[in-house]
């Protein structure tokens, strides 16, 4: 078995496959430990599903609440809890630790090797590496991120239009300064539709770092895309954060880094002898851009499917289609609903934050869904009911 890409999707797949006694080669084009553009906010359900993440000390710190600000800045919702609402990680460390866990379980890891091409043959899959050598295996997992070569060369993703753009920086900062600005509860800030972009700005305080970013979740095919200069939006955001005393006045913007993220799942994430996981398959929360949970979960499901396929001696797409059925039934329902509501949500954020600023129950549910603490599938009707209740209550009291 070969797994291409050692991000959370690939390492998780490798770990679970090795635990099932399958021989695994995990390859990545970067030298590890490597950085990965990310806010580093993990929904708590990652910890519930993958207990070892907490047990092995992969979490830097926790955030116990935060503020959501409306686009006009007129309204804001504040929530503070006794339990953590988001776990904070440093991706360089987190991803490397996941690779080490895969190795501990028996996977062989090779970094600084890039997969250039994949050929699906009758009796095996062959991967061509950048150094001209080949790797052959029965099945391949493509977990090589948003610009996945495996997705492209296997014919599963020819279009690269459904991507959003994020700009971010992670600033090292003393705990003392972080305590002063964000308290021991490390309260986060989210600025909805910041300066009108179809997305939001985030401020994620960690143990000794502050992660500040903006994300625009609009497809490249959308006509309004590209009209805003995101670097300017980022610079203005830092200015706004300083003016509103959310961050220290002397924080210096260094080199602003940008990265893409997928906006929707591919229609097909399997073919003969090949499965796609994580960003390579477009598995992400299309409203918040949070993808680590889906990356790890799809890696786990792919490992389970492949172990069954090897046992049954079935490696064609008919058998492997099981993978897509399982992830759709697992977290795919939530992604589908989020996709359906994304446009409406972007339109309604101002009103939503206004109402939520006066109704804690509504605020709690919305933030829970946004941060992935609550399943949208389970909570959507409760959320809509509460929204309408608060809306009409206010209307009639006027
Ligand atoms: C700026 C930004 C902020 C984000 N913030 C958050 C957040 O706060 N919380 C959250 O949950 N998610 C966040 N996400 C999304 C999250 O980072 C991704 O969904 C997640 O990393 C997907 O994991 P993955 O394993 O599928 O891919 P990746 O983490 O991208 O890993 C892919 C790996 O494949 C390797 N690779 C690529 N091509 C090849 C090749 N040809 N051959 C060999 N190896 C290859 C890469 O080096 C990389 O190590 C953010 C994304 C961005 C861009």
């Amino acid at each position: 078995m070969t797994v291409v890409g050692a991000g959370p999707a690939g390492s998780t797949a490798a770990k679970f496959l090795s635990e099932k006694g399958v021989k695994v080669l995990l390859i990545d084009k970067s030298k590890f430990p490597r950085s990965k553009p990310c806010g580093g906010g993990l929904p708590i359900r990652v910890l519930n599903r993958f207990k070892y993440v907490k047990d092995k000390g992969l979490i830097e710190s926790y955030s116990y609440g935060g503020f959501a600000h409306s686009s006009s800045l007129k309204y804001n919702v504040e929530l503070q809890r006794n339990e953590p609402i988001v776990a904070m990680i440093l991706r360089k460390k987190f991803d490397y630790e996941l690779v080490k866990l895969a190795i501990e379980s028996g996977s062989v890891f090779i970094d600084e090797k890039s997969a250039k091409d994949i050929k699906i043959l009758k009796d095996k899959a062959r991967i061509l590496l950048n150094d001209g050598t080949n790797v052959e295996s029965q099945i391949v997992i493509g977990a090589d991120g948003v610009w996945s070569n495996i997705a492209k060369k296997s014919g599963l993703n020819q279009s690269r239009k459904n991507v959003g753009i994020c700009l971010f920086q992670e600033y090292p900062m003393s705990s003392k300064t972080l305590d002063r600005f964000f308290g021991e509860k490390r309260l986060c800030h989210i600025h909805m539709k910041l300066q009108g972009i179809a997305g939001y700005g985030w401020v994620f305080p960690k143990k000794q770092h502050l992660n500040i970013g903006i994300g625009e979740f609009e497809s490249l095919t959308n006509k309004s895309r590209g009209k805003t200069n995101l670097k300017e939006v980022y610079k203005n955001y830092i200015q706004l954060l300083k003016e509103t005393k959310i961050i220290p006045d002397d924080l210096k913007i260094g080199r602003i880094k940008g990265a893409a993220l997928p906006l929707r799942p591919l229609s097909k994430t399997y073919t003969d002898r090949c499965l796609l996981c994580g960003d390579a398959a477009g598995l992400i929360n299309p409203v918040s851009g949070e993808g680590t949970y889906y990356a790890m979960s799809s890696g786990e499901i792919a490992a389970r499917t492949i172990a069954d396929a090897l046992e049954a001696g079935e490696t064609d797409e008919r058998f492997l289609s099981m993978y897509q059925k399982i992830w759709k039934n697992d977290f795919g329902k939530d992604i589908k609903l989020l996709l359906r509501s994304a446009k409406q949500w972007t339109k309604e954020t101002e009103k939503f934050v206004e109402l939520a600023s006066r109704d804690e129950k509504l605020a709690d549910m919305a933030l829970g869904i946004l941060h992935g603490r609550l399943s949208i599938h389970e909570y959507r009707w409760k959320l809509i009911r509460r929204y309408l209740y608060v809306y009409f209550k206010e209307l009639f009291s006027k």
Side-chain angles (χ1 to χ4, degrees):
M1 260 298 311
T2 309
V3 181
V4 180
S11 314
T12 305
K15 172 181 155 54
F16 281 100
L17 271 167
S18 296
E19 282 171 1
K20 286 183 181 290
V22 177
K23 263 177 83 180
V24 179
L25 175 65
L26 175 64
I27 57 176
D28 199 286
K29 68 174 182 185
S30 304
K31 179 160 177 54
F32 270 63
R34 58 102 180 93
S35 302
K36 157 79 181 91
C38 191
L42 276 194
I44 298 300
R45 64 201 158 117
V46 171
L47 313 191
N48 296 339
R49 183 163 182 157
F50 304 96
K51 300 270 185 243
Y52 56 86
V53 166
K54 191 175 171 199
D55 298 345
K56 298 276 178 184
L58 273 56
I59 304 300
E60 278 295 297
S61 57
Y62 293 95
S63 167
Y64 290 79
F67 301 82
H69 308 267
S70 76
S71 186
S72 68
L73 304 176
K74 262 165 66 186
Y75 308 106
N76 56 68
V77 180
E78 180 185 350
L79 273 184
Q80 292 201 34
R81 291 281 171 269
N82 292 327
E83 317 80 47
I85 62 154
V86 185
M88 295 296 177
I89 53 167
L90 297 176
R91 282 297 296 268
K92 195 171 183 172
K93 176 180 160 200
F94 182 78
D95 287 20
Y96 194 34
E97 293 301 322
L98 290 184
V99 167
K100 286 195 216 157
L101 288 176
I103 296 170
E104 256 173 48
S105 303
S107 299
V108 173
F109 176 57
I110 302 180
D111 55 358
E112 295 185 276
K113 287 261 185 275
S114 174
K116 278 182 72 177
D117 202 355
I118 179 169
K119 291 266 176 291
I120 312 286
L121 308 172
K122 208 161 172 261
D123 57 339
K124 60 190 153 217
R126 180 179 294 148
I127 290 168
L128 175 67
L129 299 177
N130 58 327
D131 60 6
T133 58
N134 288 319
V135 176
E136 290 182 347
S137 58
Q138 281 185 281
I139 305 180
V140 170
I141 290 183
D144 45 344
V146 60
W147 303 117
S148 169
N149 244 353
I150 299 298
K152 189 174 171 213
K153 302 286 183 176
S154 63
L156 286 170
N157 186 19
Q158 293 303 321
S159 146
R160 298 190 170 200
K161 300 234 183 269
N162 271 319
V163 292
I165 298 291
C166 291
L167 300 187
F168 89 108
Q169 269 184 305
E170 195 152 74
Y171 306 87
M173 199 171 273
S174 72
S175 308
K176 220 168 120 195
T177 308
L178 286 157
D179 280 350
R180 192 148 54 90
F181 281 84
F182 305 98
E184 281 182 5
K185 287 201 161 183
R186 292 288 190 266
L187 301 176
C188 306
H189 290 263
I190 300 281
H191 287 80
M192 316 301 280
K193 270 181 96 174
L194 176 74
Q195 295 163 52
I197 60 168
Y200 64 93
W202 72 80
V203 180
F204 287 172
K206 303 184 181 180
K207 195 174 172 191
Q208 289 188 314
H209 291 83
L210 182 61
N211 191 304
I212 304 177
I214 58 169
E216 189 184 40
F217 306 133
E218 219 161 32
S219 160
L220 278 173
T221 50
N222 197 320
K223 286 201 183 87
S224 59
R225 171 82 179 268
K227 292 213 171 121
T228 29
N229 179 337
L230 284 181
K231 264 198 181 163
E232 279 310 307
V233 175
Y234 188 86
K235 284 184 195 159
N236 294 340
Y237 189 35
I238 296 290
Q239 197 48 39
L240 168 79
L241 294 171
K242 286 182 181 175
E243 280 165 14
T244 47
K245 311 256 180 270
I246 290 176
I247 62 170
D249 208 27
D250 58 357
L251 184 125
K252 298 228 168 358
I253 305 185
R255 202 169 67 85
I256 305 167
K257 290 172 230 156
L261 78 191
L263 294 177
R264 55 170 58 238
L266 298 181
S267 52
K268 195 164 166 238
T269 55
Y270 60 90
T271 184
D272 288 342
R273 297 189 181 277
C274 182
L275 297 180
L276 300 178
C277 295
D279 278 10
L283 303 176
I284 207 155
N285 177 326
V287 177
S288 70
E290 166 252 311
T292 318
Y293 175 77
Y294 305 107
M296 294 180 71
S297 304
S298 59
E300 180 205 351
I301 295 168
R304 244 195 290 151
T305 311
I306 289 172
D308 288 349
L310 294 177
E311 201 181 310
E314 303 270 4
T315 51
D316 63 355
E317 69 166 30
R318 203 172 41 85
F319 192 96
L320 294 180
S321 65
M322 187 68 76
Y323 164 64
Q324 185 152 320
K325 278 198 198 105
I326 301 176
W327 74 247
K328 276 197 169 172
N329 215 16
D330 187 306
F331 55 76
K333 294 182 286 190
D334 282 4
I335 295 185
K336 199 169 157 191
L337 274 174
L338 285 162
L339 269 170
R340 249 196 255 153
S341 56
K343 260 210 178 110
Q344 197 61 24
W345 168 249
T346 314
K347 256 199 243 157
E348 303 276 335
T349 46
E350 183 75 19
K351 187 75 198 162
F352 203 98
V353 178
E354 182 193 345
L355 293 183
S357 68
R358 297 198 278 269
D359 187 77
E360 197 176 335
K361 215 167 167 182
L362 182 65
D364 187 52
M365 255 188 253
L367 232 70
I369 289 174
L370 195 69
H371 286 143
R373 180 167 46 87
L374 305 176
S375 149
I376 185 171
H377 203 71
E378 271 175 56
Y379 277 84
R380 71 183 193 279
W381 290 116
K382 286 182 195 157
L383 184 77
I384 291 169
R385 270 205 302 272
R386 189 75 202 171
Y387 180 78
L388 293 174
Y389 168 75
V390 182
Y391 182 85
F392 284 113
K393 197 175 107 186
E394 294 223 337
L395 197 72
F396 290 126
S397 66
K398 272 178 194 162

